[in-house]
Amino acid sequence: MKAERRVPHSALGGLFLLMAALACFAVLDTTTKVVTAEVPPLMALWVLFGVQALASGGYLLAARGVGSLRSTRLGLHMVRGSLLLAVQMLAFFSLMVLPVGEFTALAMTTPLLVTLLASRVLGEHVSPLRLLLVGGGLAGTLVIVRPGGNSLGWAILLPLGLVLVNSAYQLLASKMARTEDAVTTLFFSSLTALLLISLSLPWVWVAVGSASLWGGLLLMGLAAAGGNLLFILAFERAPAATLMPYMYLQIGFGILGGWLVFDHVPDHWAAVGMGMVAACGIAGALLTLHEARLRRGELRQA
């Protein structure tokens, strides 16, 4: 019988790992916006998934052994990898037309939409208060994009499509998490995305003579791999309900990256919308924590 892997539980340790993961994701988004201005996005994605597959596979072999690379649900891993590729493609193209901070805030509406879809797809109960918070977060996205009041036109469909596809990706991830190891899932998903994106290489590959561009491509892959691994390790050490309120720090990291690299500061209405998304997301996470405590109290009394 396979020995159970014991992970020390530490809320503070989990929080530090989560903050490091969010910083990596902000570096990924900021670097993506720089690199894809000169390198075809599909070529940049190939490098990203190549580094991520190598990093996650190497971590599994070093920390958990060859047995961790086995799975009986390769079909679901392939579907998840295809969704991951679609998510990253939409993210890359979104960052080509949106500032990093605004993009991050829009992407952070995914947990709110997942909450709404979970009631339909997974049959989970969603309280009226939670539905109100979802509505508030989605209203915040409208304040950010201001339909009819910006010059993005049809391009605004890119981040909105990202949120929808990412929601499907997260729902499948939630289902697979019940039986599959998170890092193993990350490896197979990255490998699937890498194989799919490799089909486009003959048409998108260009010569890159700049060492700084190669450095940016490598940094993207390392930030994606490091962010995902740190994210998984964080949630192994602390409960999701404890960490979720801090997820919205990523909006702050995104704004910081946009300011440092592109000298961009969100305008008044964008800041209001981002605040609405963050407030509703944090409130939703705190509500989850409160509901979990109530359930534990009921179980103790039973």
Side-chain angles (χ1 to χ4, degrees):
M1 183 179 294
K2 185 178 178 180
E4 183 181 352
R5 191 171 56 89
R6 297 185 180 277
V7 177
H9 287 266
S10 167
L12 187 59
L15 177 57
F16 281 131
L17 286 168
L18 178 66
M19 292 178 66
L22 298 180
C24 285
F25 292 144
V27 170
L28 169 62
D29 292 340
T30 305
T31 309
T32 295
K33 191 169 181 65
V34 173
V35 169
T36 52
E38 300 186 54
V39 175
L42 295 182
M43 177 179 163
L45 277 170
W46 183 82
V47 176
L48 184 151
F49 285 121
V51 173
Q52 188 162 277
L54 285 173
S56 55
Y59 173 83
L60 283 170
L61 289 174
R64 305 185 184 180
V66 177
S68 61
L69 296 177
R70 300 191 185 99
S71 175
T72 59
R73 312 191 75 180
L74 288 178
L76 280 179
H77 284 300
M78 293 175 67
V79 172
R80 190 176 187 270
S82 301
L83 288 172
L84 176 61
L85 175 59
V87 167
Q88 288 290 1
M89 286 179 66
L90 287 166
F92 272 40
F93 288 114
S94 296
L95 282 164
M96 294 174 72
V97 297
L98 278 173
V100 179
E102 283 83 337
F103 163 78
T104 304
L106 290 172
M108 290 305 295
T109 61
T110 298
L112 296 169
L113 186 58
V114 168
T115 297
L116 189 60
L117 293 176
S119 64
R120 296 288 183 181
V121 179
L122 301 179
E124 297 179 1
H125 172 71
V126 179
S127 67
L129 178 56
R130 196 176 293 279
L131 289 175
L132 182 63
L133 293 173
V134 170
L138 297 180
T141 67
L142 294 178
V143 175
I144 294 171
V145 302
R146 300 190 291 283
N150 57 65
S151 58
L152 292 177
W154 64 268
I156 201 62
L157 295 176
L158 291 170
L160 298 180
L162 165 68
V163 171
L164 289 173
V165 177
N166 198 19
S167 297
Y169 172 79
Q170 295 295 342
L171 284 172
L172 180 58
S174 176
K175 179 180 179 180
M176 293 178 67
R178 300 168 186 171
T179 58
E180 298 293 296
D181 177 80
V183 185
T184 302
T185 299
L186 174 63
F187 167 71
F188 281 115
S189 298
S190 301
L191 183 61
T192 298
L194 176 64
L195 294 175
L196 289 174
I197 203 71
S198 295
L199 299 175
S200 69
L201 278 189
W203 292 274
V204 301
W205 189 269
V206 297
V208 178
S210 168
S212 62
L213 267 182
W214 276 116
L217 286 167
L218 182 60
L219 179 59
M220 281 171 43
L222 292 174
N228 279 301
L229 288 172
L230 288 167
F231 190 82
I232 291 167
L233 293 174
F235 279 84
E236 284 183 344
R237 283 159 175 76
T242 301
L243 296 178
M244 283 304 293
Y246 299 95
M247 284 285 294
Y248 292 85
L249 287 171
Q250 189 172 347
I251 297 177
F253 283 127
I255 294 173
L256 179 62
W259 174 62
L260 290 175
V261 179
F262 303 103
D263 197 28
H264 171 79
V265 178
D267 63 26
H268 172 73
W269 284 111
V272 170
M274 293 159 84
M276 291 173 64
V277 170
C280 290
I282 292 170
L286 293 175
L287 178 59
T288 299
L289 183 59
H290 175 67
E291 290 173 345
R293 287 172 176 168
L294 287 179
R295 284 194 294 271
R296 286 198 297 269
E298 291 172 354
L299 288 173
R300 281 196 294 267
Q301 292 176 1

